[in-house]
Amino acid sequence: MLLTHRWSSLCFYFCLSSDNPSAFFSFFPLFEVFRSLSEMTDEKSRVQVSIRIRPLLKIDKNDKPIVHPLDETSLSLSDDKKAPKSYQFDHVLCGDQQSVYETIGRPMLEEAYKGFNVCLFAYGQTGSGKTYSLLGDISDEEKQGVAPRFVQELFDEAQRRVDEDTDLTIKVSLSMIEVYMEKVRDLLAPRQRGQEPEALEIHEDSNRRVYVKDASVHQVLGSERTMQLLRKGNANRQTAETKMNETSSRSHAIVQIAVTQEFATLEKKDLECTISLVDLAGSERQTKTESSGQHFEEAKKINHSLLMLGRALNSFSERKGNADSFISLRESKLTRLLSESFGGNSKTWMLATVSPTAYNAYETISTLDYASNAKAITNKARINKSVRDLEYKDLVRLRAHLETCLARENTLVVDNTQRCEVLSKELDQLLGELEVCRSDFTIENELENALVEREMLLMELRTALENSVVGNEDEPLICFSGMIKVAVGSVPMDTIVPITAVVPVFDFVGPPPLLRCTIRVTEPVADCLAVVVEVLELFHLPDFCSGGARVSLWFEGQESSRVYSHFVAPNAGNPQFSLSQSFLFDSAGEKVRNFLSKETLMVCVEGALGIV
């Protein structure tokens, strides 16, 4: 079932069960107006792939260009050994650093502020311009890469949003790690000269999200501090000079920026996202870089991790017919860290950089094939909402629970109805027996007492039956009822007698409700006697009676004289009443002469649930 609309006025009622009548009322604080569920579904998002062709350098002056852009989305590769081949991508970039940011960085920023996880990873051979495209020269605005420009606009947009909405708070934190020789290291942790940085472990949380244990997380308040951390982390990366590049990266670097948007009001949902910027170490051939010793071992680890990543990309791009097929990402630390970026909860961009010359034809073809595979991968990105919002699976589980409760309450309604029918038959039988045995005063008295008890039980059962049925939107739902009897014969004439009586509530746990009222019996005047009852207040009203309470008065055996008060607000468990009622009796009648010795005043107190 797909839920796409807000449940605007939903309230659930629970009747008093015979085992524990107050058990279900603890559920009531849990149910609020549900928010929109339309954004909870996954959004399919294909990996966006851009190719950047490195300009010709001085070292390329004697070499023939073989890569030629055809338009903004396609290029051709014309190798003398093979027929020309064309490739189609989302973007083919030949411009400056700003154009690269406009193509990749700005769309990432827009998706991040919507609450989606976003990832950009740069791939290409050594010396093709990956790190320059991603980081560039952080100190030179014109030469800055995607990452510093992204950071600057991230905080500019944050300031704009906070200025427009005073209820909004935006928090940003940053981490930076590298994978070197299949070891994960923190690039922002303090380092001791001459000591090897600590190797960190990769873990998964309860939601199977991958994270690096003990990696430092830095809260940042502005772009300047973030730039300082980027410079520090980049300076701590493992680099070395090779035949192909004077400052070749010997590790894979991952920058993670966490952004949280928190609102002071519950009417707006909080959002969070993780921004991953990945600078992969360059693929290289030992015959070209002429690496040896430690550098050769580094190259082997780099090529191994890139090979495992390539295999994972191939598997993801080829599983169209079986989207649930298992793909192992534990073959290397790199693939495990990037597991959310391919087929997971992220919107992913790939920037592949290539050299245009024939000397690098093998590496260029490999990079273009690598990028083509990535283009075929589809992720399932979803907006990362606050934990205050119920997830769809939680709503389904809650609905199943409520359906079970409703079925149980319906069963109770049927059972109570049947019990009422049985008691009514028993009552009719007792009335018949009473008529037969009326001549015997002792038996008559016993039967009258039994009849009263049966009537009270029948009233309680009918009250429970009424409480088990959901009321309409104009009347509150009665959740408990208690009865008090006052013998008027004990009240002196023309004297206001205060009375505080316990209101019995069936199977109630806690301090019993106490009703305070006054009774006055006037001297007969002009053959007329009056009983004046004033209800003042109620103590210890149960917490679940959010709709308040009311009282009703009548004399036993005279239901037609019953009068009701209005429902009074709970007032923190101490509702105040203003019910004053006078009952007049003709002093010349036989009933009044026996009034003071036989008549009993009935007081009923009822608590109600509030209307939602």
Side-chain angles (χ1 to χ4, degrees):
M1 182 182 67
L2 177 62
L3 302 177
T4 57
H5 296 288
R6 186 178 186 184
W7 295 4
S8 58
S9 181
L10 183 60
C11 183
F12 306 97
Y13 300 101
F14 297 93
C15 71
L16 300 177
S17 68
S18 59
D19 295 329
N20 187 358
S22 61
F24 290 111
F25 289 101
S26 61
F27 270 82
F28 277 77
L30 297 178
F31 300 114
E32 299 178 338
V33 175
F34 288 143
R35 302 188 182 279
S36 172
L37 303 175
S38 59
E39 294 181 345
M40 297 180 70
T41 55
D42 292 341
E43 177 177 312
K44 291 187 177 181
S45 173
R46 181 177 59 79
V47 174
Q48 300 292 302
V49 179
S50 300
I51 303 296
R52 189 178 194 189
I53 304 173
R54 175 177 64 76
L56 291 172
L57 305 176
K58 292 181 180 180
I59 60 175
D60 301 323
K61 62 182 179 179
N62 296 325
D63 203 355
K64 176 184 176 182
I66 62 171
V67 180
H68 305 282
L70 300 177
D71 52 39
E72 294 181 350
T73 60
S74 61
L75 57 83
S76 67
L77 190 145
S78 55
D79 188 2
D80 292 339
K81 300 179 182 179
K82 298 180 181 179
K85 183 179 180 180
S86 62
Y87 291 85
Q88 191 77 23
F89 298 100
D90 294 293
H91 301 281
V92 175
L93 307 173
C94 301
D96 58 8
Q97 297 281 70
Q98 180 62 26
S99 65
V100 176
Y101 174 75
E102 294 293 337
T103 303
I104 300 176
R106 195 176 299 280
M108 288 178 57
L109 184 66
E110 293 174 358
E111 298 297 337
Y113 270 109
K114 292 177 184 178
F116 289 102
N117 294 335
V118 295
C119 174
L120 167 63
F121 72 101
Y123 175 83
Q125 77 174 106
T126 297
S128 61
K130 297 183 309 304
T131 303
Y132 178 77
S133 298
L134 189 63
L135 294 174
D137 187 346
I138 298 178
S139 302
D140 189 335
E141 290 187 4
E142 292 186 2
K143 296 181 180 180
Q144 286 181 346
V146 173
R149 295 172 190 267
F150 184 93
V151 166
Q152 183 63 52
E153 294 211 3
L154 175 71
F155 284 97
D156 291 343
E157 178 66 14
Q159 186 62 51
R160 185 188 68 79
R161 289 172 178 257
V162 171
D163 291 341
E164 290 181 353
D165 191 342
T166 56
D167 291 333
L168 175 62
T169 300
I170 297 180
K171 299 178 182 179
V172 182
S173 61
L174 180 140
S175 300
M176 192 170 180
I177 60 173
E178 71 172 351
V179 180
Y180 172 70
M181 298 288 288
E182 281 301 295
K183 296 180 180 179
V184 181
R185 307 195 298 196
D186 189 348
L187 289 173
L188 299 178
R191 298 193 175 186
Q192 300 292 334
R193 183 181 296 274
Q195 291 186 3
E196 183 76 11
E198 179 184 2
L200 305 180
E201 296 180 354
I202 300 175
H203 288 259
E204 290 183 0
D205 62 15
S206 58
N207 295 319
R208 302 187 65 83
R209 291 178 296 191
V210 175
Y211 69 96
V212 178
K213 185 180 180 181
D214 297 330
S216 60
V217 178
H218 301 263
Q219 302 295 328
V220 287
L221 301 178
S223 58
E224 293 184 4
R225 173 57 179 162
T226 309
M227 295 294 191
Q228 291 176 358
L229 293 174
L230 287 178
R231 291 191 189 95
K232 177 181 177 180
N234 196 42
N236 286 335
R237 281 189 70 180
Q238 196 73 26
T239 60
E241 181 178 357
T242 68
K243 187 80 171 180
M244 298 289 292
N245 191 351
E246 292 182 356
T247 57
S248 174
S249 300
R250 315 308 292 168
S251 68
H252 310 293
I254 301 176
V255 179
Q256 283 196 331
I257 303 173
V259 179
T260 302
Q261 303 177 66
E262 298 178 352
F263 293 91
T265 174
L266 292 176
E267 296 178 357
K268 299 178 182 179
K269 58 181 176 295
D270 297 346
L271 298 175
E272 59 186 14
C273 72
T274 299
I275 302 159
S276 301
L277 305 172
V278 185
D279 183 17
L280 300 176
S283 60
E284 56 186 43
R285 300 168 68 187
Q286 194 273 339
T287 55
K288 286 188 175 182
T289 58
E290 297 182 4
S291 59
S292 61
Q294 178 67 14
H295 293 169
F296 179 65
E297 294 299 322
E298 293 171 348
K300 286 170 57 179
K301 293 294 185 181
I302 292 171
N303 290 335
H304 171 75
S305 60
L306 293 177
L307 176 62
M308 294 301 102
L309 179 60
R311 288 181 178 176
L313 296 184
N314 289 338
S315 300
F316 278 111
S317 62
E318 293 172 358
R319 70 168 187 172
K320 296 179 181 178
N322 186 9
D324 295 327
S325 60
F326 175 75
I327 297 175
S328 176
L329 297 173
R330 295 177 178 267
E331 299 297 331
S332 74
K333 300 292 178 63
L334 179 62
T335 55
R336 194 173 182 196
L337 288 171
L338 296 180
S339 58
E340 281 295 318
S341 302
F342 302 105
N345 178 25
S346 176
K347 292 197 173 186
T348 302
W349 284 257
M350 176 182 183
L351 176 60
T353 57
V354 296
S355 173
T357 60
Y359 178 70
N360 297 305
Y362 176 84
E363 290 83 356
T364 298
I365 294 173
S366 176
T367 299
L368 295 175
D369 291 340
Y370 211 98
S372 297
N373 286 335
K375 184 182 173 185
I377 298 173
T378 300
N379 292 349
K380 294 182 179 180
R382 64 178 179 274
I383 294 177
N384 301 292
K385 297 172 298 305
S386 164
V387 295
R388 291 184 298 181
D389 290 335
L390 291 176
E391 293 294 335
Y392 178 76
K393 61 182 180 181
D394 296 326
L395 289 174
V396 172
R397 188 164 55 249
L398 179 60
R399 186 190 69 174
H401 171 74
L402 293 175
E403 288 176 346
T404 302
C405 293
L406 181 60
R408 181 169 52 205
E409 302 310 312
N410 289 335
T411 302
L412 288 174
V413 170
V414 174
D415 291 344
N416 284 335
T417 302
Q418 294 175 349
R419 292 174 65 184
C420 284
E421 293 175 354
V422 171
L423 289 176
S424 295
K425 293 179 180 179
E426 292 182 3
L427 181 60
D428 293 337
Q429 182 180 355
L430 289 175
L431 288 173
E433 294 175 358
L434 181 62
E435 289 294 334
V436 174
C437 301
R438 187 174 296 275
S439 59
D440 190 330
F441 177 81
T442 302
I443 297 178
E444 181 180 2
N445 186 52
E446 292 177 353
L447 288 176
E448 284 180 350
N449 292 335
L451 180 61
V452 170
E453 292 177 358
R454 290 296 181 181
E455 287 178 343
M456 292 298 299
L457 180 58
L458 182 60
M459 181 178 295
E460 291 178 359
L461 289 174
R462 286 176 176 169
T463 302
L465 176 60
E466 293 172 356
N467 290 345
S468 66
V469 181
V470 177
N472 58 43
E473 295 182 353
D474 298 325
E475 296 183 1
L477 181 66
I478 303 300
C479 59
F480 90 90
S481 177
M483 191 81 67
I484 301 172
K485 294 184 178 182
V486 180
V488 181
S490 62
V491 179
M493 286 288 188
D494 264 350
T495 302
I496 298 177
V497 178
I499 297 176
T500 300
V502 174
V503 180
V505 181
F506 176 66
D507 202 12
F508 178 72
V509 178
L514 301 176
L515 181 68
R516 189 167 71 89
C517 58
T518 63
I519 297 179
R520 176 174 172 242
V521 180
T522 65
E523 292 283 355
V525 176
D527 294 333
C528 184
L529 180 146
V531 178
V532 182
V533 182
E534 184 174 3
V535 182
L536 303 177
E537 59 186 332
L538 180 69
F539 301 97
H540 308 314
L541 180 68
D543 293 340
F544 55 78
C545 297
S546 58
R550 71 177 179 183
V551 296
S552 57
L553 309 171
W554 75 98
F555 276 90
E556 186 175 22
Q558 302 182 46
E559 182 68 25
S560 61
S561 66
R562 187 169 183 169
V563 295
Y564 291 85
S565 71
H566 295 292
F567 275 95
V568 178
N571 190 28
N574 185 25
Q576 309 289 316
F577 296 96
S578 60
L579 177 62
S580 180
Q581 180 64 29
S582 297
F583 296 92
L584 301 179
F585 298 89
D586 183 1
S587 61
E590 178 68 23
K591 195 171 188 63
V592 173
R593 284 194 292 271
N594 297 326
F595 172 75
L596 294 178
S597 60
K598 291 186 177 181
E599 290 297 338
T600 301
L601 177 67
M602 310 294 291
V603 183
C604 180
V605 181
E606 297 173 305
L609 300 175
I611 298 177
V612 176

